[in-house]
Amino acid sequence: MFSFKLGLKNLTRQKRRNALTILVIAFAFFSYLLMDSLMNGMEEMSFENIKNYDTGNIQVTYPEYWEDREKLPLENLIYLNQDMEESIKDTDGLLGVSPELRFKANLNNGIDEVAVMGMGISIEQYNEVFATQNYVVEGSMFAPGESKAVIGVSLAELMDLKVNDYITLLVRTKEDTFNTIDVEIAGLIRAPNPMINNGIVFVPLDVAQQALNVGKGVSLLALKTVSGDEDTATKALTDSFKNKDMDLKAYSWKESAASVIALSVAKKGGIGAILSIVLLIGMLGIINNVILSALERTEEIGMMKALGMREWEIVFVFMVEATGIGILGGLAGCLIGYAGVSGLVKYGYGLGYIGGDGSAYGIPILDRMYGTWNYPAFGFLFVLGVIVALLSSILPAYWAAHKDPVKAIYHR
Amino acid sequence: MALLELNKVKKIYQQGKIEVPALRGIDLTVEQGEFTTIFGPSGSGKTTLLNMIGCLDTPTEGEIRLNDKKVSDLSRKELAMTRRYNIGFVFQSYNLIPVLTAYENVEFAIRLTDHTSESQMKEKVLKMLAEVGLKGLESRRPNELSGGEKQRVAIARALVKEPKLVLADEPTANLDSETAAGVVDIMRKMNKELNTTFIFSTHDPMVMKYANRFINLKDGMISADERRG
């Protein structure tokens, strides 16, 4: 089709302007792909950090405790019995169970005091569920039977503490009397989830239970399951508890990560807004290009009409040209986007500008965020970009084609 | 039956509140095969008249019939189709498409009308380019051609679809006299060989000596209409 050929040939006119439009589109595509990769990476890392260092895949507790869990109450604790253990053991894909006693405490180093969350854990079971042990940067996790503590590096820096120092945790027992836990620091951790590093003191479960006077009570059971199976396992567990007339309930990690999930939803909105801006930039570039081309080629348009070309045929010539620019811009954008995303996946993006700690912004990520590959985004953006280029050329092209042929031919 | 008939054609342009009459009542009949020049001073209405005849513009009053069809009754699409199949244009400023070669500029016109095979189409275009003396220059772009050569491409583009009527608005205005003579020669040859009707607007006395009909326009009216030989 000759009009198609003419449209393509017109791409070689005004090379600098076309190249600039292509560059603008490419840069907009590149920015979107980078942002999309980073946002998805942030989401993925956040979820992994929550599961691997905070909640496990599933948490089992009483609904009353769950309601008040932020307040770290010592009410509605779980006292494990055989029925409970059987129900949990029967969970499909179960990899580990970690009982936790969470409590409010004030950490005292002899000079200063700071409010922290105490976490009584059974170290062997904890290690089956969480990966925190891999991030001990000094000393070690306490061994079973040891009466020691592990704290985060950030907390240690804040309180000027180091390994082998003694700390005192001031706690209130179940009966609301004061008690203390005096322990030596066995190790310092620097987990990828900064929330773990900033305000948690890990102590042996039996030490915590004794100090808080809760018997064998635990706040919750953190379960590790095969990833992706959480929803089915959560439902199965809750049903199993119900069948045995137990009030316990299972909660997927997603329910503990509401704020991060809310961020993720906001992220989708943000990505949508960025996409709109990207498309708007492309659209404006194309419209500007078609209008300038039409103004420069007014006589030519007049000649085309004199030759008997119909308006839609002239519109088609401009559309081919605009679509060509869209395709080239899209390809260039995807190409540099590929390079950019490769860099993000490999080297990540440092959080130095926010002090390396995302937790201040509700993001459980430390030091560096990494991008992820989202191949459909490349295809989607390219196709959408080409469609937008094509559609945004129609109106200015129609304006050009609709010119009075006499005025067009003799416009000079 | 005449190829073209104009009855009391008037064209008035509105410039703000002022009405500017460009044509004040033209009666004209042109037969197939005539080689006609329209001459007259600037502002006499030559270009306006050509635009009316070429279906690029419509009269304010009066009637134009081309091939016995009333032009003012035609829709935009029908006007475009009339121009496509029946009329060839040659402009003073050539109006070639700069990204196309001489061959492609001519091919462009025939592609709109001719739906024969590729090889036949190619043959026609090459023959037409050869007819206007551009053999060997087919692959040159307009910026690689002289003014005379560009105008020959424009003539080839107008003639390749074998229209009944070719309208040329001051086709030699941008050419030196020798080149202009060559261009008019070609048009005269085509007129004789293909019986194509040519209507020129021109100031150029050299062009006028080739014509067999002379229409003198003055203040939007025909002041003289003379046939020769």
Side-chain angles (χ1 to χ4, degrees):
Chain A
M1 202 172 176
F2 199 83
S3 302
F4 185 77
K5 181 178 168 184
L6 178 59
L8 286 185
K9 286 216 167 196
N10 278 340
L11 274 172
T12 60
R13 295 165 90 164
Q14 299 301 336
K15 288 191 188 82
R16 258 188 251 169
R17 191 175 64 223
N18 286 348
L20 196 66
T21 309
I22 288 167
L23 267 180
V24 167
I25 294 172
F27 182 72
F29 275 38
F30 167 76
S31 307
Y32 173 81
L33 289 170
L34 234 55
M35 200 53 82
D36 178 66
S37 166
L38 206 58
M39 292 285 190
N40 282 329
M42 184 186 85
E43 182 180 278
E44 209 171 274
M45 283 179 79
S46 298
F47 291 166
E48 286 305 310
N49 285 348
I50 288 171
K51 280 192 277 186
N52 292 336
Y53 308 101
D54 187 11
T55 65
N57 298 67
I58 297 169
Q59 289 180 310
V60 173
T61 188
Y62 288 109
E64 294 80 6
Y65 179 86
W66 185 259
E67 291 288 309
D68 290 338
R69 68 188 188 283
E70 302 290 333
K71 296 178 195 161
L72 305 174
L74 295 176
E75 307 294 328
N76 302 307
L77 299 181
I78 302 171
Y79 292 88
L80 274 170
N81 59 37
Q82 203 180 341
D83 274 353
M84 288 178 191
E85 282 175 1
E86 275 174 8
S87 289
I88 291 167
K89 212 181 284 173
D90 290 343
T91 308
D92 279 343
L94 182 72
L95 300 172
V97 182
S98 171
E100 289 177 4
L101 179 59
R102 297 180 171 200
F103 55 96
K104 282 186 273 192
N106 278 358
L107 169 66
N108 191 304
N109 62 358
I111 302 166
D112 294 314
E113 204 169 90
V114 67
V116 294
M117 180 169 91
M119 178 108 80
I121 53 169
S122 167
I123 192 68
E124 284 173 319
Q125 288 176 282
Y126 181 81
N127 288 346
E128 282 175 8
V129 176
F130 296 104
T132 314
Q133 57 178 326
N134 301 328
Y135 295 91
V136 176
V137 289
E138 215 176 307
S140 61
M141 291 298 272
F142 46 79
E146 271 187 337
S147 183
K148 291 189 175 179
V150 171
I151 64 171
V153 169
S154 311
L155 186 58
E157 277 171 10
L158 179 72
M159 298 300 285
D160 198 20
L161 293 167
K162 47 191 189 300
V163 174
N164 299 330
D165 281 355
Y166 279 86
I167 55 169
T168 300
L169 287 175
L170 184 64
V171 298
R172 276 175 188 267
T173 64
K174 195 178 177 186
E175 291 77 30
D176 215 20
T177 56
F178 285 104
N179 201 356
T180 57
I181 300 172
D182 295 302
V183 279
E184 184 189 351
I185 296 174
L188 303 179
I189 47 176
R190 195 168 189 281
N193 183 343
M195 287 155 188
I196 304 296
N197 304 335
N198 296 342
I200 297 180
V201 177
F202 294 92
V203 292
L205 181 60
D206 54 344
V207 171
Q209 284 169 330
Q210 197 180 346
L212 297 165
N213 201 19
V214 294
K216 292 285 180 191
V218 294
S219 313
L220 54 87
L221 301 166
L223 275 57
K224 184 171 186 175
T225 60
V226 176
S227 222
D229 253 5
E230 294 95 344
D231 291 337
T232 323
T234 304
K235 193 175 176 304
L237 256 175
T238 301
D239 289 346
S240 165
F241 294 140
K242 206 183 267 181
N243 292 339
K244 291 180 181 172
D245 280 337
M246 285 185 280
D247 293 333
L248 280 175
K249 206 174 162 196
Y251 299 90
S252 153
W253 65 271
K254 290 172 196 163
E255 292 177 72
S256 303
S259 62
V260 177
I261 288 172
L263 254 178
S264 163
V265 172
K267 175 213 86 174
K268 280 180 187 126
I271 287 278
I274 293 167
L275 181 63
S276 309
I277 293 169
V278 165
L279 295 178
L280 188 71
I281 291 170
M283 205 168 92
L284 291 177
I286 294 288
I287 290 174
N288 175 56
N289 217 61
V290 174
I291 289 177
L292 288 177
S293 299
L295 286 172
E296 283 160 4
R297 299 178 206 159
T298 304
E299 278 180 65
E300 210 173 295
I301 293 167
M303 178 276 295
M304 286 175 176
K305 295 191 98 166
L307 280 182
M309 271 184 100
R310 290 172 63 190
E311 283 174 7
W312 71 264
E313 289 172 315
I314 298 171
V315 168
F316 182 77
V317 173
F318 280 100
M319 277 169 70
V320 169
E321 189 178 344
T323 308
I325 290 173
I327 290 173
L328 291 174
L331 281 177
C334 286
L335 212 65
I336 55 172
Y338 183 87
V341 171
S342 297
L344 270 183
V345 170
K346 195 169 179 187
Y347 304 108
Y349 179 71
L351 295 178
Y353 66 101
I354 52 167
D357 184 349
S359 63
Y361 299 88
I363 309 163
I365 296 175
L366 194 67
D367 292 338
R368 198 159 274 275
M369 285 199 287
Y370 288 87
T372 51
W373 284 109
N374 181 8
Y375 294 110
F378 282 78
F380 168 73
L381 190 62
F382 178 73
V383 171
L384 199 65
V386 172
I387 290 172
V388 166
L390 193 146
L391 293 180
S392 52
S393 68
I394 292 176
L395 215 61
Y398 181 75
W399 164 79
H402 199 63
K403 284 173 192 280
D404 178 340
V406 175
K407 285 183 185 161
I409 293 166
Y410 300 102
H411 91 288
R412 270 191 283 185
Chain B
M1 185 186 71
L3 173 70
L4 177 71
E5 278 178 84
L6 282 79
N7 297 315
K8 298 182 175 50
V9 169
K10 288 186 183 174
K11 181 69 184 179
I12 298 167
Y13 290 111
Q14 199 75 36
Q15 288 187 342
K17 288 179 181 172
I18 305 166
E19 288 188 341
V20 181
L23 299 176
R24 296 167 186 264
I26 302 281
D27 289 309
L28 178 68
T29 304
V30 178
E31 302 294 335
Q32 183 69 45
E34 283 192 311
F35 200 78
T36 305
T37 72
I38 299 170
F39 64 99
S42 289
S44 58
K46 302 187 294 292
T47 300
T48 306
L49 182 57
L50 281 189
N51 290 337
M52 300 283 157
I53 295 169
C55 301
L56 290 170
D57 205 352
T58 47
T60 314
E61 264 180 53
E63 185 184 282
I64 299 174
R65 298 185 86 84
L66 183 67
N67 271 339
D68 209 29
K69 269 189 192 163
K70 196 175 164 190
V71 169
S72 50
D73 285 349
L74 301 179
S75 65
R76 286 164 80 94
K77 181 188 165 188
E78 286 168 327
L79 283 172
M81 290 302 114
T82 304
R83 291 196 295 268
R84 182 181 292 201
Y85 290 102
N86 298 309
I87 304 169
F89 288 90
V90 180
F91 302 103
Q92 180 183 334
S93 51
Y94 328 124
N95 287 1
L96 301 178
I97 298 176
V99 286
L100 301 181
T101 61
Y103 176 87
E104 287 166 336
N105 265 289
V106 179
E107 183 193 13
F108 181 33
I110 201 170
R111 287 265 175 194
L112 291 171
T113 55
D114 202 322
H115 305 292
T116 53
S117 70
E118 284 290 318
S119 57
Q120 280 176 309
M121 212 179 287
K122 188 174 180 184
E123 197 182 322
K124 263 187 184 179
V125 174
L126 290 175
K127 189 178 165 208
M128 186 50 69
L129 282 167
E131 292 274 2
V132 297
L134 291 176
K135 197 173 179 185
L137 303 180
E138 297 90 349
S139 57
R140 289 203 187 171
R141 288 194 173 187
N143 63 351
E144 297 164 333
L145 297 170
S146 68
E149 286 165 343
K150 283 183 205 171
Q151 196 58 295
R152 286 176 201 209
V153 176
I155 292 167
R157 181 178 65 188
L159 292 172
V160 73
K161 60 185 181 182
E162 296 173 13
K164 290 188 171 132
L165 175 64
V166 172
L167 301 171
D169 188 10
E170 310 214 21
T172 56
N174 289 340
L175 306 176
D176 61 69
S177 55
E178 197 181 330
T179 313
V183 164
V184 178
D185 242 354
I186 291 162
M187 290 198 270
R188 189 70 178 119
K189 191 176 138 205
M190 296 297 161
N191 164 252
K192 280 183 179 158
E193 284 177 6
L194 304 170
N195 199 32
T196 307
T197 308
F198 279 81
I199 302 178
F200 292 88
S201 78
T202 189
H203 285 106
D204 190 344
M206 189 275 303
V207 176
M208 287 160 65
K209 82 177 180 204
Y210 283 86
N212 54 21
R213 187 175 176 187
F214 307 90
I215 295 167
N216 189 4
L217 270 190
K218 200 174 172 189
D219 296 331
M221 294 179 73
I222 295 175
S223 64
D225 183 356
E226 190 186 323
R227 282 187 169 84
R228 192 194 292 163

